[in-house]
């Protein structure tokens, strides 16, 4: 694995802080009704993306995830201004404003969504990996999903075929404890989700996903296994979200004290503490990063605010009409 140097930690701190503040800004404009529909924020889970990106070969490896998907494409290289514009429903967005919060997508940067169907991305991730193996592309696909999606039957079907075909894929369950609002302990008679891999003889295990270095170590091992022909891995990334499942979540299933306990091991704070204690980074340098991040988020907001909405005619470019469609009368 690439060494975790002072420069890596500085990049992690700035990236994770930007992702956090980006999501905070989206929460703010959502309340102002500038962003509509559903909104699922990543606050607290940033170490997963930071660690994964450190282990990946960007430009070659691919990523697919669920609908908590705003910051992942930014990490993969997508312009954050275009991501925010997409959430605003603007023509300058990643899908010209037609996808919105739950469906960020970028073929250019190997980010394949953004999927609203719970667990729908699990077989798709294996399918992307199958394509890479078939065409001998030497690429690995990271397939992310939540603990709620781990209860979907499609996971078992996918695990079976992924092992049978020895696909270059890493399955990553981001276990933030509550799925949509039901604790892991209430959805099955076991709480160690990673053990689902044992039934398929798939390499698997738990990861402390509040620490980006621990995520990077586990990801590196899994990615290298997949790239060298060793097949899939299943990682349970144990994390925590500080906000609700979505902006409409009243969060009655947990206490404020519980959230406060997890905030004591916040991934951003952990990296900041390491920088100051291990690398003698001064408070002024931290403040300079904070200032850059704030300015960058403001640029994204300004770009989204000033961008035009798409022309209504664009809707017709995204659908098609088949005049001889069966079962429909020619005239209604």
């Amino acid at each position: 694995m690439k060494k975790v140097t002072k420069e890596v930690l500085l990049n992690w701190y700035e990236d994770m802080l930007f992702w956090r503040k980006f999501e905070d800004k989206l929460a703010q404009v959502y309340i102002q009704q500038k962003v509509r529909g559903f909104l699922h924020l990543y606050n607290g889970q940033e170490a997963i993306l930071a660690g994964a990106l450190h282990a990946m070969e960007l430009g070659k490896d691919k990523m697919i995830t669920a609908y908590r998907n705003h910051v992942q494409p930014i990490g993969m290289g997508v312009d954050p201004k275009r991501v925010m514009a997409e959430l605003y429903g603007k023509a300058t967005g990643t899908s010209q404003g037609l996808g919105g919060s739950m469906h960020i997508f970028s073929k250019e940067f190997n980010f394949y969504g953004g999927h609203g169907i719970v667990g729908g991305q699990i077989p798709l991730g294996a399918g992307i990996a199958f394509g890479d193996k078939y065409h001998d592309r030497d690429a690995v696909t990271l397939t992310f999903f939540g603990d709620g999606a781990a209860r979907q039957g499609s996971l078992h079907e996918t695990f079976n075929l992924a092992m049978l075909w020895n696909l270059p894929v890493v399955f990553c369950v981001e276990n933030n404890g509550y799925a949509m609002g039901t604790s892991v302990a209430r959805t099955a008679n076991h709480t160690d989700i990673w053990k689902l891999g044992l039934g398929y003889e798939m390499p698997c295990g738990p990861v402390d996903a509040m620490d980006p270095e621990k995520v990077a170590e586990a990801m590196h091992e899994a990615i290298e296994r997949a790239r060298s022909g060793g097949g899939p891995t299943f990682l349970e990334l144990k994390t925590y979200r500080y906000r609700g499942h979505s902006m409409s979540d009243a969060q009655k299933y947990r206490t404020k004290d519980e959230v406060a306990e997890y905030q004591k091991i916040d991934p951003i704070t952990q990296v900041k503490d390491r920088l100051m204690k291990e690398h003698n980074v001064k408070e002024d340098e931290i403040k300079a990063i904070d200032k850059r991040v704030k300015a960058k988020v403001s640029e994204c907001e300004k770009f989204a605010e000033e961008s035009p909405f798409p022309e209504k005619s664009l809707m017709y470019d995204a659908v098609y009409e088949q005049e001889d469609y069966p079962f429909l009368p020619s005239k209604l």
Side-chain angles (χ1 to χ4, degrees):
M1 187 183 80
K2 292 174 286 187
K3 189 176 179 181
V4 177
T5 61
K6 175 183 175 181
E7 288 67 32
V8 169
L9 290 170
L10 283 168
N11 287 334
W12 277 352
Y13 177 75
E14 186 161 350
D15 285 345
M16 290 194 297
L17 185 64
F18 175 68
W19 301 334
R20 176 77 58 85
K21 297 302 182 183
F22 187 91
E23 297 284 62
D24 286 344
K25 176 57 68 175
L26 287 174
Q28 179 185 329
V29 296
Y30 185 86
I31 292 170
Q32 297 169 355
Q33 296 190 336
K34 293 177 180 177
V35 169
R36 305 293 185 95
F38 294 103
L39 188 70
H40 307 82
L41 304 178
Y42 206 63
N43 299 46
Q45 301 182 207
E46 295 89 354
I48 293 174
L49 180 58
L53 293 173
H54 186 72
M56 295 174 70
E57 287 191 30
L58 295 181
K60 179 189 291 186
D61 296 336
K62 301 174 174 71
M63 185 182 292
I64 188 169
T65 188
Y67 40 78
R68 201 178 303 277
N69 71 137
H70 311 143
V71 300
Q72 292 91 337
I74 296 171
M76 295 286 284
V78 178
D79 186 341
K81 294 194 290 293
R82 293 193 65 211
V83 175
M84 188 164 284
E86 183 62 35
L87 281 137
Y88 269 70
K90 297 298 185 71
T92 53
T94 50
S95 295
Q96 300 179 70
L98 298 179
S101 168
M102 300 171 73
H103 304 288
I104 310 297
F105 185 94
S106 176
K107 182 180 179 182
E108 178 185 1
F109 290 99
N110 289 332
F111 182 73
Y112 291 88
H115 293 269
I117 295 175
V118 176
Q121 74 278 18
I122 299 173
L124 295 179
I128 295 168
F130 177 83
D132 285 335
K133 181 174 182 177
Y134 184 85
H135 293 286
D136 196 24
R137 295 193 187 109
D138 188 37
V140 177
T141 298
L142 271 60
T143 301
F144 290 92
F145 50 95
D147 47 284
R151 310 310 184 190
Q152 294 288 333
S154 60
L155 176 139
H156 297 278
E157 295 172 340
T158 302
F159 277 18
N160 183 57
L161 287 177
M163 287 298 291
L164 181 66
W165 295 338
N166 204 42
L167 300 182
V169 57
V170 182
F171 298 107
C172 311
V173 55
E174 296 182 273
N175 181 5
N176 57 30
Y178 289 103
M180 192 170 175
T182 303
S183 70
V184 170
R186 294 183 63 196
T187 60
N189 68 344
H190 60 90
T191 55
D192 293 322
I193 299 176
W194 63 270
K195 290 182 179 178
L196 292 175
L198 296 175
Y200 301 91
E201 298 186 3
M202 185 185 298
C204 53
V207 182
D208 173 7
M210 299 301 277
D211 183 339
E213 185 166 6
K214 290 178 180 176
V215 173
E217 289 170 355
M219 288 286 188
H220 173 76
E221 181 181 348
I223 289 171
E224 289 307 301
R225 178 184 295 117
R227 202 183 309 281
S228 63
T233 300
F234 179 38
L235 300 176
E236 180 183 354
L237 303 167
K238 297 194 174 188
T239 184
Y240 197 81
R241 62 163 196 260
Y242 299 147
R243 292 183 178 270
H245 172 73
S246 71
M247 286 294 288
S248 60
D249 182 1
Q251 305 182 60
K252 293 181 179 180
Y253 46 84
R254 63 181 181 181
T255 65
K256 291 182 180 179
D257 289 342
E258 179 182 300
V259 178
E261 281 299 307
Y262 276 95
Q263 287 175 329
K264 292 177 182 178
I265 55 170
D266 186 291
I268 300 174
T269 303
Q270 286 194 56
V271 171
K272 177 182 174 181
D273 289 346
R274 284 188 64 181
L275 283 166
M276 299 181 81
K277 292 175 183 176
E278 299 175 18
H279 300 283
N280 201 31
V281 172
K282 303 300 182 185
E283 191 65 41
D284 287 347
E285 194 171 350
I286 295 295
K287 287 181 179 178
I289 294 173
D290 296 351
K291 187 176 180 180
R292 278 202 306 272
V293 164
K294 185 177 180 181
K296 193 174 175 183
V297 172
S298 294
E299 287 176 15
C300 294
E301 182 185 18
K302 185 174 185 290
F303 179 81
E305 294 272 3
E306 295 178 354
S307 292
F309 285 103
E311 295 293 329
K312 290 183 180 179
S313 60
L314 181 65
M315 290 189 295
Y316 298 101
D317 294 335
V319 296
Y320 68 93
E321 179 184 15
Q322 182 178 331
E323 293 184 0
D324 59 343
Y325 193 82
F327 315 121
L328 289 178
S330 57
K331 293 181 180 180
L332 295 177

